[in-house]
Amino acid sequence: MMQRIWILAAPLLLVTGCSAERAEPVDKDAIAQAVKTDVQSIVDAFNARDADAALAVNAPDTRVMSHGQPNMGFEENLATVRQYVSDPAVHLQVADEEVDVADAGDMAVYTATYDWEFTDPETGDVANEQGNWVMVFRRQEDGSLKIYREVISDIPAS
């Protein structure tokens, strides 16, 4: 009886063993560093007043949730960023960066605090806003990681 079970089970074991592909190990540190490099390119482009370059890391299906405004897709976000970078006082910095990479390497969550200077439209004076920035990067069909979701949330002035 035991031989019969092995005779029936052996082909299943062979098929299962042959079809299981071993995935390449994911270098989560390299992915995290690449995400931080991409974010630095966003900050640099923003400070250089180049809206198109600042959004080069955004996926076409990105959704941005910012400051209690309605969610923005790529085009709405581009129009908003173009308006922001037209301000001569604009300056952006990030700190306290962290990146969590999914085990499969197909998604990463970037978090940081930001410090943003801009011209207050009501007073004409340079104003400052600090807050939290969260970006979810998702692997695209071409293999790149792009910003899929983004949350920008200011914190109350103390």
Side-chain angles (χ1 to χ4, degrees):
M1 181 68 161
M2 191 62 136
Q3 282 182 330
R4 208 178 275 180
I5 292 172
W6 277 109
I7 290 170
L8 293 172
L12 292 174
L13 292 172
L14 288 173
V15 169
T16 303
C18 292
S19 65
E21 293 182 27
R22 295 184 186 252
E24 291 293 319
V26 173
D27 187 344
K28 292 168 76 171
D29 291 335
I31 293 170
Q33 187 56 51
V35 166
K36 286 181 180 180
T37 299
D38 283 346
V39 172
Q40 188 58 53
S41 74
I42 294 167
V43 171
D44 291 345
F46 192 86
N47 290 333
R49 294 166 179 72
D50 185 343
D52 294 299
L55 270 61
V57 181
N58 286 64
D61 61 344
T62 191
R63 286 286 170 261
V64 178
M65 295 149 259
S66 177
H67 305 298
Q69 299 173 1
N71 293 352
M72 293 181 280
F74 185 88
E75 292 301 323
E76 296 93 352
N77 189 34
L78 180 58
T80 300
V81 172
R82 283 182 175 155
Q83 180 183 355
Y84 289 158
V85 300
S86 69
D87 179 353
V90 76
H91 185 75
L92 177 64
Q93 291 179 202
V94 294
D96 303 320
E97 297 174 292
E98 291 185 19
V99 180
D100 293 318
V101 179
D103 288 340
D106 59 341
M107 294 186 89
V109 177
Y110 170 91
T111 59
T113 58
Y114 69 85
D115 188 282
W116 176 37
E117 290 182 358
F118 59 97
T119 302
D120 183 323
E122 292 179 19
T123 66
D125 295 333
V126 174
N128 181 271
E129 176 183 291
Q130 295 176 339
N132 298 301
W133 198 1
V134 179
M135 290 180 255
V136 178
F137 286 73
R138 184 170 72 174
R139 182 110 19 232
Q140 304 296 296
E141 287 183 22
D142 67 0
S144 65
L145 279 174
K146 299 276 187 180
I147 299 168
Y148 171 66
R149 297 292 184 258
E150 184 173 3
V151 178
I152 304 164
S153 178
D154 54 316
I155 55 176
S158 49

